[in-house]
């Protein structure tokens, strides 16, 4: 059941005439305004007259709407918003909504996307499960244990609460927000646009930046926890150490240790693991690191009390975190030496450091429907639109540094950007130019990274580190770099998805042993045979590595898990686990599709891969595919059972 998110009242104007409204209409993007106007008025005439002038964001020709049409649009939008009865009181038909989407993006939006877009953009919201008259409510005493209170865990708590499930959440930190509570390094930010990196059901209109700073995300998630009163269900400064399934009772015995070392065993009917990927960090295994006499900090364990002014700073790592840290510490540092372990493709985005104009923030907060259409445009251009770049063309040479014509075009764009920024420094250009296809590793958005590397007090060292000395770093060539502070932007142990939690299933099976250090597998990335009622959020092969969408994936998988719980309750079952056949078929499907993806390219090797080269993280399908597959479980893919006692 769905409910329309935005309704209008035709008996009175939607907004009063004001100078701020006029400024907003004059400043917002015409395509966003056109979609909003057509949504409110159902005006097909202006929509179709503007359609020939709007082009896809990544098309060969830019959007060029004639000035007279733009002025007509702004005038009609003003009348619609300030005149009683000028707007329609109901949401447009599905067909018109799809047409508005297609015109606004300058390309066809296929029907398979529409339901996802309705939900993810906030045009409709699912009816709260516990208010559905045709649904069996969870029985008294049915308890879910949730691990993690970051972006994923908070969403899970909201949806469990809406469905009427009793749950407790275990969180190792003293507050919510997960990685956005922990990561406080200079320049910490998100490389997903602000207006999409948020819950579809709790959007935020007043982001200050187009790409949010870490502190802004932390504030957003704190606000979510307050709004939904989630903290009452969270045990802070506590960790789960073991989970053991009891076959007789059909329950999980979960050992929780608090900050004082006190251990308690809690029984739960189901367990949801939502402790995030960017959670398990450690300092790099470099000889001598323990002997260094100055501060050594990981990006996720940054000590803000360390004074960096005038210091000689070593930054180990050139991925997303390193590319944010260096521009923010270099201006005050005496010298920054960047130790490059890997090369990355770096792409420009004019909005990466841009602030959202006040007129746009006002429009997002006040013009009905504008926020939903603004979010739609971001999703369409930042997510599945990139999928074509990660598909390998079977006719494309295997030894080429790209995987298709469109991927090569983007590679050439990346090369031209590097030439533009670094062409006058050929030695630096040579050090930084990747030899692997663009999109086969996580890309870096340039928020001052290249400019920082061009500073007189910044040096890029690609000679591998041999050891760390008490006062510096020695590379393999024997060169010694004396430094005062070491900053490790060296990532996370993502492959060890269970962290330090020991998980024991049926017949004493150990999931830790079955997965080993880096080979996790699951059915639909969520459940594993032999481990009933154990659900993973952010599990194997669910990473949206072709574009933005971590929040979308989290919402989709959480929906699926709650649907699984509902199926158990409706069937009066105590346990639920996937069949071995469904598990094997799904993983065969994953492995087969991965052969067609960019991540199987001979030179594609990143944290997406395990030590054997298998891609364990990336979802090789589109986000819309995953969303559709997670609407509800296929009952015949599961074994439903009763407790033995």
């Amino acid at each position: 059941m769905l409910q329309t998110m935005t309704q209008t009242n035709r008996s009175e104007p939607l907004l009063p005439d004001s100078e701020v409204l006029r400024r907003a209409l004059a400043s917002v993007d015409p395509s966003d305004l056109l979609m909003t106007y057509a949504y409110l008025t159902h005006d097909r005439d202006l929509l179709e007259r503007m359609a020939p002038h709007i082009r896809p964001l990544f098309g060969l020709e830019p959007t060029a709407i004639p000035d007279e049409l733009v002025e007509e649009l702004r005038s009609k939008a003003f009348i619609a918003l300030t005149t009683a009865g000028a707007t329609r009181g109901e949401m447009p038909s599905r067909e018109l909504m799809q047409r508005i989407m297609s015109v606004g993006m300058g390309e066809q939006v296929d029907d398979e996307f529409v339901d996802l877009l309705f939900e993810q953009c906030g045009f409709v919201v699912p009816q709260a499960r516990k208010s559905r008259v045709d649904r069996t409510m969870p029985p008294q005493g049915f308890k879910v244990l949730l691990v993690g209170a970051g972006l994923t865990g908070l969403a899970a708590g909201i949806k469990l609460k809406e469905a009427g499930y009793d749950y407790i959440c275990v969180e190792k930190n003293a507050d919510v927000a997960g990685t956005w509570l922990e990561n406080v390094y200079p320049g910490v930010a998100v490389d997903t646009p602000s207006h999409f990196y948020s819950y579809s059901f709790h959007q935020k209109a007043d982001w200050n930046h187009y790409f949010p700073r870490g502190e802004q995300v932390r504030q957003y998630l704190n606000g979510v926890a307050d709004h939904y009163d989630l903290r009452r269900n969270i045990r802070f400064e506590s960790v789960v150490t073991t989970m053991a399934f009891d076959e007789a009772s059909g329950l999980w015995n979960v050992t929780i240790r608090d900050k004082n070392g006190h251990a308690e065993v809690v029984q739960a009917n189901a367990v949801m693991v939502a402790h995030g990927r960017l959670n398990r960090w450690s300092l790099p295994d470099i000889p001598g690191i323990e002997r260094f006499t100055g501060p050594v900090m990981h990006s996720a364990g940054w000590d803000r009390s360390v004074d960096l002014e005038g210091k000689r700073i070593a930054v180990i790592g050139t991925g997303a975190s390193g590319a944010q840290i260096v521009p923010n510490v270099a201006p005050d540092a005496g010298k920054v030496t960047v130790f490059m372990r890997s090369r990355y493709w770096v792409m420009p985005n004019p909005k990466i450091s841009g602030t959202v104009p006040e007129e746009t923030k006002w429009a997002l907060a006040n013009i009905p429907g504008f926020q939903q259409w603004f979010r739609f445009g971001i999703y369409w251009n930042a997510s599945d639109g990139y999928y074509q770049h990660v598909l390998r063309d079977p006719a494309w040479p295997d030894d080429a540094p790209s995987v298709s014509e469109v991927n090569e075009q983007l590679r050439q764009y990346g090369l031209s950007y590097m030439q533009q920024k670094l062409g006058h420094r050929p030695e630096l250009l040579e050090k930084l130019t990747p030899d692997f296809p663009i999109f086969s590793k996580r890309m870096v958005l340039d928020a001052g990274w290249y400019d920082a590397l061009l500073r007189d007090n910044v040096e890029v060292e690609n000679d591998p580190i041999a050891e760390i000395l008490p006062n510096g770093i020695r590379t393999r060539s024997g060169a010694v770099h004396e430094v005062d502070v070491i900053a490790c932007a060296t990532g996370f142990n993502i492959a060890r998805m269970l962290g330090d939690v020991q998980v024991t299933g049926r017949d004493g099976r150990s999931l830790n042993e079955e997965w080993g250090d880096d080979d996790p597998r699951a059915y639909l990335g969520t459940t594993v045979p032999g481990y009933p009622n154990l659900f993973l959020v952010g599990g194997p092969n669910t990473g949206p590595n072709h574009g933005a969408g971590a929040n979308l994936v989290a919402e989709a998988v959480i929906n699926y898990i709650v649907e699984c719980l509902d199926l158990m309750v409706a069937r009066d079952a105590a346990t639920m686990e996937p069949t071995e056949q469904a598990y094997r078929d799904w993983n065969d499907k994953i492995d087969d599709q991965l052969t067609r993806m960019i991540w199987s390219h001979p030179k594609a090797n990143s944290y997406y891969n395990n030590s054997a080269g298998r891609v364990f993280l990336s979802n090789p399908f589109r986000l819309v595919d995953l969303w559709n597959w997670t609407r509800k479980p296929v009952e015949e893919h599961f074994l439903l059972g009763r407790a033995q006692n």
Side-chain angles (χ1 to χ4, degrees):
M1 296 289 292
L2 298 175
Q3 298 171 314
T4 301
M5 184 72 171
T6 303
Q7 294 289 337
T8 62
N9 185 347
R10 292 184 294 168
S11 64
E12 58 186 33
L14 297 180
L15 294 171
D17 182 0
S18 67
E19 184 59 32
V20 68
L21 170 61
R22 293 175 183 273
R23 289 200 306 269
L25 294 176
S27 65
V28 298
D29 181 83
S31 294
D32 293 333
L33 182 58
L34 173 64
M35 292 187 290
T36 305
Y37 167 76
Y39 170 72
L40 292 173
T41 65
H42 303 196
D43 184 347
R44 291 176 180 264
D45 175 67
L46 185 57
L47 185 72
E48 297 302 338
R49 285 193 287 128
M50 294 186 75
H53 306 287
I54 301 176
R55 298 287 185 269
L57 179 63
F58 302 109
L60 297 179
E61 300 178 12
T63 289
I65 305 173
D67 291 344
E68 59 269 22
L69 278 181
V70 174
E71 287 307 310
E72 181 182 350
L73 168 65
R74 288 171 177 159
S75 175
K76 287 188 170 182
F78 177 81
I79 293 171
L81 292 167
T82 59
T83 304
T87 58
R88 301 288 289 270
E90 71 281 348
M91 184 170 168
S93 67
R94 181 186 180 92
E95 178 272 329
L96 180 54
M97 287 290 288
Q98 188 174 351
R99 182 58 183 158
I100 295 171
M101 292 173 180
S102 299
V103 171
M105 293 299 98
E107 58 185 322
Q108 179 62 30
V109 174
D110 291 334
D111 189 65
E112 62 178 331
F113 286 94
V114 174
D115 288 334
L116 176 153
L117 294 168
F118 278 2
E119 179 193 275
Q120 278 298 310
C121 299
F123 294 113
V124 296
V125 292
Q127 182 183 8
R129 285 180 172 85
K130 62 184 177 182
S131 66
R132 299 179 189 172
V133 296
D134 59 342
R135 174 177 174 265
T136 304
M137 285 293 290
Q140 189 73 25
F142 191 103
K143 179 172 289 186
V144 180
L145 187 132
L146 172 63
V147 184
L151 181 141
T152 301
L154 293 179
I158 292 167
K159 294 305 174 182
L160 287 170
K161 184 177 180 180
E162 286 182 355
Y165 284 98
D166 181 22
Y167 79 96
I168 62 168
C169 177
V170 181
E171 168 55 49
K172 67 181 175 66
N173 292 320
D175 203 351
V176 301
T179 189
W180 303 113
L181 174 68
E182 298 170 7
N183 281 265
V184 296
Y185 62 82
V188 59
V190 189
D191 55 9
T192 296
S194 305
H195 300 86
F196 186 59
Y197 192 77
S198 54
Y199 302 133
S200 63
F201 52 85
H202 193 93
Q203 296 182 33
K204 175 180 168 67
D206 59 347
W207 292 104
N208 292 323
H209 297 85
Y210 284 109
F211 289 81
R213 307 302 189 256
E215 175 62 16
Q216 293 171 340
V217 180
R218 186 190 69 79
Q219 291 172 1
Y220 167 77
L221 293 175
N222 268 273
V224 167
D226 292 338
H227 180 83
Y228 294 94
D229 193 20
L230 298 178
R231 287 184 175 84
R232 67 169 63 237
N233 290 77
I234 304 174
R235 295 192 181 186
F236 290 108
E237 296 182 285
S238 299
V239 295
V240 172
T241 58
T242 65
M243 301 178 188
F245 180 71
D246 180 68
E247 296 188 50
S249 64
L251 301 174
W252 282 91
N253 293 315
V254 182
T255 304
I256 303 172
R257 189 180 69 242
D258 66 19
K259 64 179 180 180
N260 299 316
H262 174 71
E264 176 188 1
V265 176
V266 173
Q267 287 194 321
N269 298 81
V271 174
M272 289 179 67
V273 179
H275 57 190
R277 298 188 181 104
L278 307 183
N279 185 276
R280 297 167 291 281
W281 63 268
S282 60
L283 294 174
D285 185 17
I286 301 174
I289 193 169
E290 73 285 350
R291 300 198 310 266
F292 186 70
T293 56
V296 180
M297 302 182 289
H298 191 279
S299 59
W302 198 268
D303 184 352
R304 287 187 287 188
S305 69
V306 175
D307 182 9
L308 300 177
E309 186 171 359
K311 298 294 194 303
R312 298 167 298 179
I313 305 170
V315 178
I316 302 175
T318 49
S321 297
Q324 291 175 344
I325 291 171
V326 173
N328 285 276
V329 301
D332 295 325
K335 181 179 181 181
V336 177
T337 305
V338 181
F339 292 86
M340 186 175 70
R341 306 195 307 170
S342 301
R343 303 174 184 183
Y344 288 88
W345 284 104
V346 178
M347 299 296 281
N349 188 312
K351 291 185 175 180
I352 188 64
S353 300
T355 57
V356 182
E358 290 302 315
E359 293 84 358
T360 301
K361 287 198 285 187
W362 188 92
L364 288 163
N366 293 279
I367 296 178
F370 187 81
Q371 181 169 247
Q372 286 78 19
W373 287 108
F374 193 84
R375 182 179 172 102
F376 158 69
I378 293 172
Y379 164 80
W380 191 255
N381 290 319
S383 294
D384 279 341
Y386 284 120
Y387 187 73
Q388 60 182 327
H389 290 283
V390 297
L391 282 173
R392 298 185 71 173
D393 180 351
W396 206 255
D398 286 341
D399 58 352
S402 54
V403 296
S404 65
E405 181 177 359
V406 67
N407 185 248
E408 175 63 21
Q409 290 173 353
L410 189 61
R411 174 178 172 272
Q412 290 299 326
Y413 178 74
L415 289 172
S416 67
Y417 180 65
M418 293 187 72
Q419 181 66 37
Q420 171 194 333
K421 299 290 290 188
L422 307 174
H424 63 292
R425 292 277 301 275
E427 79 293 345
L428 188 57
L429 184 65
E430 183 179 359
K431 283 182 180 180
L432 295 174
T433 302
D435 62 352
F436 52 85
I438 196 167
F439 265 115
S440 63
K441 296 182 183 180
R442 182 179 179 182
M443 286 198 298
V444 171
L445 292 181
D446 190 0
W449 171 237
Y450 279 163
D451 289 339
L453 298 183
L454 292 170
R455 292 178 60 95
D456 292 339
N457 68 332
V458 176
E459 176 186 3
V460 177
E461 177 60 81
N462 62 350
D463 188 19
I465 295 174
E467 65 173 330
I468 294 179
L469 307 173
N471 65 336
I473 295 176
R474 184 175 66 82
T475 60
R476 286 183 188 172
S477 67
V480 174
H481 300 264
E482 293 187 354
V483 298
D484 305 305
V485 179
I486 297 177
C488 301
T490 47
F492 302 82
N493 187 346
I494 294 175
R496 201 155 168 258
M497 289 188 171
L498 297 173
D500 295 326
V501 183
Q502 299 299 307
V503 179
T504 306
R506 289 191 187 277
D507 303 318
R509 292 173 58 171
S510 168
L511 191 54
N512 307 79
E513 293 178 3
E514 292 176 18
W515 281 2
D517 285 334
D518 62 0
D519 197 28
R521 287 184 181 271
Y523 166 71
L524 207 56
T526 306
T527 57
V528 183
Y531 300 88
N533 305 0
L534 175 65
F535 300 98
L536 310 167
V537 191
N541 294 111
T542 59
N545 292 330
H546 66 273
N551 51 303
L552 185 154
V553 171
E555 287 187 32
V557 173
I558 290 164
N559 172 80
Y560 180 76
I561 293 171
V562 177
E563 288 288 329
C564 286
L565 296 175
D566 277 2
L567 178 61
M568 287 173 55
V569 170
R571 297 292 183 267
D572 195 25
T575 62
M576 179 178 188
E577 61 188 289
T579 66
E580 288 284 351
Q581 188 63 51
Y583 170 81
R584 287 194 299 269
D585 289 348
W586 172 257
N587 281 283
D588 287 346
K589 183 176 182 177
I590 287 285
D591 290 344
D592 178 63
Q593 184 64 19
L594 281 169
T595 65
R596 302 177 178 88
M597 308 305 294
I598 196 170
W599 306 297
S600 64
H601 188 278
K603 290 192 175 180
N605 186 35
S606 70
Y607 65 84
Y608 303 165
N609 307 73
N610 68 7
S611 57
R614 186 178 78 82
V615 179
F616 71 91
L617 182 62
S618 303
N619 167 29
F621 302 102
R622 301 170 303 169
L623 292 176
V624 67
D625 297 321
L626 183 65
W627 188 87
N628 283 319
W629 292 331
T630 53
R631 293 307 85 204
K632 62 180 181 179
V634 179
E635 188 168 350
E636 54 265 34
H637 289 181
F638 287 89
L639 299 173
L640 297 173
R642 298 183 182 277
Q644 295 177 11
N645 59 17

